[in-house]
Amino acid sequence: HVQLVESGGGSVQAGGSLRLSCAVPGYRYDTYCMAWFRQAPGMERDGVAAIDKRGMTTYAGSLQGRFTISKDNAANTLYLQIDNLKPEDTAMYYCAADFFNLQLARHYANWGRGTQVTVS
C-alpha cells in the first residue's frame, strides 16, 4: 500500500488559483501512474487529470485549460495547478496512484485522504 498525502487546499474567491500537492514518501515515484480526482458533496468521485510514468497527461474534457497536472520525480511529489477557480470547483480533491496506467478510471489501488477546495 502506497501512502499519499495531499496538501494545498483552502478557501479562495472565484478567479483565484491554487496549487495542490501530493507527496508519496518512501516510494519510487516514477514507477506509478498518478491522478487527481474530486468529489463534491452528494456527487460521485470524478477524474480531473492523470499523468503516466512517461509524463503523458490526460484531462477530463470539460476541465482542460484551467487544470494542469505535473510531477517532480526527484521530490516524489504530484501537483495540480488550478487557475480561474469557479464555485463549481468546490470539492474534496484526492490524489491516486497505481502501477497500471488507469488514466481517469476510478479503480486506482492507492488513495490519499483528500484536501478540501472551497471557492466562493
Side-chain angles (χ1 to χ4, degrees):
H1 180 72
V2 177
Q3 181 184 9
L4 307 173
V5 182
E6 301 99 332
S7 61
S11 296
V12 298
Q13 291 189 338
S17 297
L18 282 175
R19 188 175 79 158
L20 308 183
S21 299
C22 174
V24 190
Y27 290 88
R28 279 287 306 275
Y29 194 75
D30 57 355
T31 63
Y32 290 92
C33 295
M34 309 287 296
W36 288 97
F37 288 74
R38 69 182 185 180
Q39 187 169 22
M43 305 294 287
E44 293 187 338
R45 189 173 298 186
D46 291 327
V48 174
I51 187 166
D52 69 14
K53 300 171 191 179
R54 299 168 299 166
M56 298 294 291
T57 58
T58 302
Y59 293 91
S62 61
L63 302 179
Q64 193 160 6
R66 297 192 297 116
F67 291 74
T68 304
I69 190 171
S70 62
K71 62 178 180 174
D72 183 338
N73 287 338
N76 269 15
T77 304
L78 177 75
Y79 301 102
L80 183 69
Q81 177 71 34
I82 314 173
D83 297 315
N84 190 22
L85 278 154
K86 302 178 179 181
E88 53 263 41
D89 294 322
T90 295
M92 186 72 79
Y93 284 72
Y94 296 92
C95 172
D98 201 287
F99 181 78
F100 298 100
N101 187 10
L102 300 179
Q103 297 189 349
L104 298 180
R106 294 181 180 142
H107 49 280
Y108 278 75
N110 304 282
W111 293 86
R113 294 186 176 184
T115 185
Q116 177 68 37
V117 172
T118 303
V119 185
S120 58

